[in-house]
Amino acid sequence: MTSTPLTLPTDGITARIRGEGATPWQAAVDHRFVRELLAGTVPDDALAGYLLQDQQFLDGFLRLLGQALASADAPASRLVLARQLGMLADDEQGYFEDSLAALGVPADVRRHPPLLGTTAAFQTLMAEVVASRSYPRLLVLLVVMEVLYLDWGSRTDLGEPTRPEHLGWVELHRGPDFTRWCQWLVDELERVAATCHPAERGELVALGVRTVELELAFFDQAR
Ligand SMILES: Cc1ncc(CN)c(N)n1
């Protein structure tokens, strides 16, 4: 269940983050919300509540990606990040709009959703890392946020949902394009972290584990 469709160097920083954050990582990938989403049994109010929070998370995530683009040390990296930003603005934002409408969330709630505690904590963490402009730190957050989602999205042992609101969220987090993006993020973090001082690598691992813990809390908040 903790396997990943990615190739991770066994002695790399990604493996260290996954190792030191193994308990919350595994709990998130096997969360009740994930199991019900993949089985197609998640209650509408739980999914709507989660999506209202995640749409606010997306705004911080876009800033994170935008700062990574600005901080990247190579033009080729900027192009990869720019393509992903475009995908999120089109496909992911479109999914939110269609699904929140299909779930019957009133327009005024969609416009002014409540901001819950873990979402606010995520926004604070993302803002802190954006302000640092540190490409390795930005990559740590992106790797955890994306690879953890790839890990649950790639599970095949929990069923296959049929409703578009369920399947759409799964499809955004699995498959060849998302896997390629996650592998690129991992490779980029490994490349950049290899040039960091060992003490800085230790700080990056701690930042990664803190992010894993917030991912678990985000699912707990939903269900
Ligand atoms: C909370 C959270 N973490 C990660 C992802 C994947 N981009 C997400 N949509 N939401």
Side-chain angles (χ1 to χ4, degrees):
M1 198 261 301
T2 47
S3 69
T4 180
L6 301 179
T7 306
L8 308 179
T10 49
D11 56 349
I13 187 163
T14 310
R16 271 185 72 190
I17 294 168
R18 284 175 62 101
E20 292 187 27
T23 302
W25 189 294
Q26 180 150 348
V29 171
D30 196 36
H31 199 276
R32 179 182 174 192
F33 180 85
V34 167
R35 284 188 267 116
E36 291 181 343
L37 178 70
L38 282 159
T41 59
V42 65
D44 281 3
D45 61 343
L47 181 58
Y50 167 87
L51 293 179
L52 284 171
Q53 296 309 305
D54 207 66
Q55 196 167 24
Q56 297 175 89
F57 168 90
L58 176 64
D59 187 50
F61 190 77
L62 291 175
R63 294 182 202 196
L64 205 63
L65 270 175
Q67 185 59 55
L69 189 156
S71 296
D73 56 1
S77 303
R78 278 187 278 283
L79 288 172
V80 176
L81 291 158
R83 278 185 214 110
Q84 194 64 18
L85 274 164
M87 189 289 285
L88 290 170
D90 285 345
D91 297 5
E92 192 150 321
Q93 179 60 20
Y95 163 82
F96 278 121
E97 286 166 12
D98 294 350
S99 298
L100 287 167
L103 289 164
V105 179
D108 60 321
V109 178
R110 277 183 262 156
R111 265 196 305 276
H112 305 290
L115 178 66
L116 301 186
T118 305
T119 315
F122 250 138
Q123 287 183 340
T124 301
L125 177 67
M126 290 192 278
E128 212 178 90
V129 174
V130 164
S132 78
R133 299 186 184 184
S134 155
Y135 192 42
R137 298 189 79 204
L138 290 154
L139 285 170
V140 164
L141 260 60
L142 291 172
V143 162
V144 170
M145 290 165 171
E146 297 292 66
V147 175
L148 190 146
Y149 267 55
L150 176 71
D151 280 2
W152 70 251
S154 304
R155 287 186 68 174
T156 54
D157 58 330
L158 294 170
E160 176 79 355
T162 51
R163 274 177 62 186
E165 304 85 79
H166 300 166
L167 186 60
W169 195 236
V170 179
E171 295 281 15
L172 281 165
H173 298 105
R174 72 177 179 193
D177 287 350
F178 191 61
T179 303
R180 206 173 303 116
W181 158 242
C182 288
Q183 186 68 60
W184 180 84
L185 280 174
V186 166
D187 294 345
E188 189 78 343
L189 175 62
E190 297 295 336
R191 176 180 73 76
V192 169
T195 67
C196 295
H197 188 277
E200 193 188 345
R201 269 203 295 280
E203 287 169 15
L204 292 173
V205 172
L207 178 65
V209 173
R210 190 170 148 212
T211 310
V212 178
E213 285 162 353
L214 274 181
E215 287 290 355
L216 175 59
F218 198 83
F219 281 138
D220 285 344
Q221 178 177 260
R223 207 74 188 98

